[in-house]
Amino acid sequence: KLAKKGLTPSQIGVNLRDSHGIAQVKSVTGTKILRLLKRNGLAPSLPEDLYHLIKKAVSVRKHLETNRKDKDSKFRLILIESRIHRISRYYKRTRQLPPNWKYESATASTLVA
């Protein structure tokens, strides 16, 4: 029900913990939230950690458009994007992303929109 509203697996876990007093979903159901969502076909297309890294990179890039001289943000963007490439390499290897998936900064804003 919460996944249909558009909540991520971690948001579902926080909601269940805070509102319903379920500390660990795995101890109640025997399986993790993401596995339950995958079984019911409600899993997100991008893994959650990768999604949040892309979202952060998009916001830093937007900040750099207005503040061109911000050298620290430029450096942090490089670090974030290298993290994105590293984690996407892992997800391709474990077949959670298609092998032809590629992060491109130009199309990144459409991924998180």
Side-chain angles (χ1 to χ4, degrees):
K1 194 183 293 183
L2 295 172
K4 287 179 183 172
K5 288 182 183 175
L7 294 181
T8 62
S10 60
Q11 289 172 327
I12 292 171
V14 168
N15 189 320
L16 290 173
R17 183 195 68 204
D18 294 346
S19 303
H20 304 289
I22 300 171
Q24 293 286 319
V25 173
K26 189 178 178 199
S27 62
V28 175
T29 61
T31 55
K32 297 179 179 182
I33 296 172
L34 187 61
R35 289 189 181 147
L36 287 170
L37 293 179
K38 279 183 183 174
R39 192 182 310 144
N40 295 324
L42 295 170
S45 58
L46 275 179
E48 194 175 353
D49 51 355
L50 182 61
Y51 172 81
H52 286 294
L53 280 174
I54 293 172
K55 192 173 177 182
K56 185 186 279 190
V58 167
S59 69
V60 171
R61 196 170 285 280
K62 185 178 176 188
H63 165 78
L64 279 171
E65 284 175 10
T66 55
N67 305 292
R68 291 221 178 267
K69 286 192 169 185
D70 194 347
K71 301 287 184 197
D72 186 55
S73 290
K74 197 177 286 185
F75 175 69
R76 298 294 164 205
L77 178 65
I78 292 168
L79 293 183
I80 292 167
E81 289 187 337
S82 65
R83 224 176 303 151
I84 290 171
H85 292 300
R86 191 178 326 132
I87 206 164
S88 67
R89 205 167 49 230
Y90 164 75
Y91 283 129
K92 284 179 193 174
R93 193 172 62 236
T94 57
R95 296 198 175 113
Q96 291 176 320
L97 278 178
N100 59 353
W101 188 89
K102 191 168 186 169
Y103 170 77
E104 290 160 355
S105 56
T107 59
S109 58
T110 59
L111 287 172
V112 295

PDB file of all heavy atoms in Angstrom, residues 2-14:
ATOM      1  N   LEU A   2       1.923   1.260   0.820  1.00  0.00           N
ATOM      2  CA  LEU A   2       2.804   2.426   0.891  1.00  0.00           C
ATOM      3  C   LEU A   2       3.656   2.569  -0.366  1.00  0.00           C
ATOM      4  O   LEU A   2       3.969   3.683  -0.784  1.00  0.00           O
ATOM      5  CB  LEU A   2       3.712   2.321   2.128  1.00  0.00           C
ATOM      6  CG  LEU A   2       2.997   2.379   3.479  1.00  0.00           C
ATOM      7  CD1 LEU A   2       3.959   2.067   4.605  1.00  0.00           C
ATOM      8  CD2 LEU A   2       2.370   3.739   3.700  1.00  0.00           C
ATOM      9  N   ALA A   3       4.015   1.448  -0.982  1.00  0.00           N
ATOM     10  CA  ALA A   3       4.813   1.505  -2.213  1.00  0.00           C
ATOM     11  C   ALA A   3       4.000   2.083  -3.358  1.00  0.00           C
ATOM     12  O   ALA A   3       4.533   2.770  -4.225  1.00  0.00           O
ATOM     13  CB  ALA A   3       5.318   0.115  -2.578  1.00  0.00           C
ATOM     14  N   LYS A   4       2.701   1.815  -3.369  1.00  0.00           N
ATOM     15  CA  LYS A   4       1.851   2.366  -4.421  1.00  0.00           C
ATOM     16  C   LYS A   4       1.732   3.878  -4.296  1.00  0.00           C
ATOM     17  O   LYS A   4       1.480   4.565  -5.280  1.00  0.00           O
ATOM     18  CB  LYS A   4       0.467   1.717  -4.375  1.00  0.00           C
ATOM     19  CG  LYS A   4       0.486   0.289  -4.872  1.00  0.00           C
ATOM     20  CD  LYS A   4      -0.875  -0.350  -4.803  1.00  0.00           C
ATOM     21  CE  LYS A   4      -0.800  -1.810  -5.245  1.00  0.00           C
ATOM     22  NZ  LYS A   4      -2.053  -2.520  -5.017  1.00  0.00           N
ATOM     23  N   LYS A   5       1.912   4.403  -3.061  1.00  0.00           N
ATOM     24  CA  LYS A   5       1.903   5.853  -2.863  1.00  0.00           C
ATOM     25  C   LYS A   5       3.198   6.488  -3.343  1.00  0.00           C
ATOM     26  O   LYS A   5       3.297   7.706  -3.407  1.00  0.00           O
ATOM     27  CB  LYS A   5       1.718   6.179  -1.379  1.00  0.00           C
ATOM     28  CG  LYS A   5       0.329   5.895  -0.863  1.00  0.00           C
ATOM     29  CD  LYS A   5       0.234   6.300   0.590  1.00  0.00           C
ATOM     30  CE  LYS A   5      -1.125   5.969   1.178  1.00  0.00           C
ATOM     31  NZ  LYS A   5      -1.177   6.256   2.620  1.00  0.00           N
ATOM     32  N   GLY A   6       4.202   5.669  -3.652  1.00  0.00           N
ATOM     33  CA  GLY A   6       5.465   6.190  -4.159  1.00  0.00           C
ATOM     34  C   GLY A   6       6.565   6.281  -3.123  1.00  0.00           C
ATOM     35  O   GLY A   6       7.562   6.964  -3.336  1.00  0.00           O
ATOM     36  N   LEU A   7       6.409   5.589  -1.996  1.00  0.00           N
ATOM     37  CA  LEU A   7       7.449   5.624  -0.972  1.00  0.00           C
ATOM     38  C   LEU A   7       8.555   4.629  -1.302  1.00  0.00           C
ATOM     39  O   LEU A   7       8.312   3.572  -1.878  1.00  0.00           O
ATOM     40  CB  LEU A   7       6.859   5.279   0.404  1.00  0.00           C
ATOM     41  CG  LEU A   7       5.847   6.269   0.988  1.00  0.00           C
ATOM     42  CD1 LEU A   7       5.374   5.799   2.351  1.00  0.00           C
ATOM     43  CD2 LEU A   7       6.440   7.650   1.114  1.00  0.00           C
ATOM     44  N   THR A   8       9.781   4.978  -0.926  1.00  0.00           N
ATOM     45  CA  THR A   8      10.914   4.087  -1.128  1.00  0.00           C
ATOM     46  C   THR A   8      10.929   3.036  -0.023  1.00  0.00           C
ATOM     47  O   THR A   8      10.262   3.204   1.009  1.00  0.00           O
ATOM     48  CB  THR A   8      12.230   4.886  -1.094  1.00  0.00           C
ATOM     49  OG1 THR A   8      12.367   5.486   0.192  1.00  0.00           O
ATOM     50  CG2 THR A   8      12.257   5.950  -2.168  1.00  0.00           C
ATOM     51  N   PRO A   9      11.686   1.950  -0.206  1.00  0.00           N
ATOM     52  CA  PRO A   9      11.735   0.913   0.828  1.00  0.00           C
ATOM     53  C   PRO A   9      12.172   1.428   2.199  1.00  0.00           C
ATOM     54  O   PRO A   9      11.616   1.011   3.223  1.00  0.00           O
ATOM     55  CB  PRO A   9      12.740  -0.098   0.276  1.00  0.00           C
ATOM     56  CG  PRO A   9      12.640   0.051  -1.191  1.00  0.00           C
ATOM     57  CD  PRO A   9      12.351   1.510  -1.432  1.00  0.00           C
ATOM     58  N   SER A  10      13.123   2.342   2.235  1.00  0.00           N
ATOM     59  CA  SER A  10      13.556   2.860   3.539  1.00  0.00           C
ATOM     60  C   SER A  10      12.480   3.741   4.172  1.00  0.00           C
ATOM     61  O   SER A  10      12.292   3.726   5.390  1.00  0.00           O
ATOM     62  CB  SER A  10      14.869   3.629   3.408  1.00  0.00           C
ATOM     63  OG  SER A  10      14.719   4.721   2.541  1.00  0.00           O
ATOM     64  N   GLN A  11      11.746   4.493   3.346  1.00  0.00           N
ATOM     65  CA  GLN A  11      10.649   5.303   3.883  1.00  0.00           C
ATOM     66  C   GLN A  11       9.533   4.413   4.413  1.00  0.00           C
ATOM     67  O   GLN A  11       8.912   4.732   5.424  1.00  0.00           O
ATOM     68  CB  GLN A  11      10.091   6.231   2.803  1.00  0.00           C
ATOM     69  CG  GLN A  11      11.016   7.369   2.435  1.00  0.00           C
ATOM     70  CD  GLN A  11      10.513   8.153   1.239  1.00  0.00           C
ATOM     71  OE1 GLN A  11       9.895   7.594   0.333  1.00  0.00           O
ATOM     72  NE2 GLN A  11      10.789   9.447   1.216  1.00  0.00           N
ATOM     73  N   ILE A  12       9.303   3.284   3.748  1.00  0.00           N
ATOM     74  CA  ILE A  12       8.298   2.334   4.223  1.00  0.00           C
ATOM     75  C   ILE A  12       8.718   1.782   5.574  1.00  0.00           C
ATOM     76  O   ILE A  12       7.910   1.671   6.495  1.00  0.00           O
ATOM     77  CB  ILE A  12       8.094   1.202   3.195  1.00  0.00           C
ATOM     78  CG1 ILE A  12       7.443   1.752   1.924  1.00  0.00           C
ATOM     79  CG2 ILE A  12       7.245   0.080   3.770  1.00  0.00           C
ATOM     80  CD1 ILE A  12       7.407   0.770   0.781  1.00  0.00           C
ATOM     81  N   GLY A  13      10.012   1.434   5.699  1.00  0.00           N
ATOM     82  CA  GLY A  13      10.522   0.910   6.962  1.00  0.00           C
ATOM     83  C   GLY A  13      10.402   1.912   8.093  1.00  0.00           C
ATOM     84  O   GLY A  13      10.005   1.564   9.210  1.00  0.00           O
ATOM     85  N   VAL A  14      10.714   3.182   7.810  1.00  0.00           N
ATOM     86  CA  VAL A  14      10.607   4.230   8.829  1.00  0.00           C
ATOM     87  C   VAL A  14       9.144   4.425   9.229  1.00  0.00           C
ATOM     88  O   VAL A  14       8.819   4.558  10.411  1.00  0.00           O
ATOM     89  CB  VAL A  14      11.215   5.558   8.306  1.00  0.00           C
ATOM     90  CG1 VAL A  14      10.867   6.721   9.204  1.00  0.00           C
ATOM     91  CG2 VAL A  14      12.717   5.423   8.189  1.00  0.00           C
TER      92      VAL A  14
END
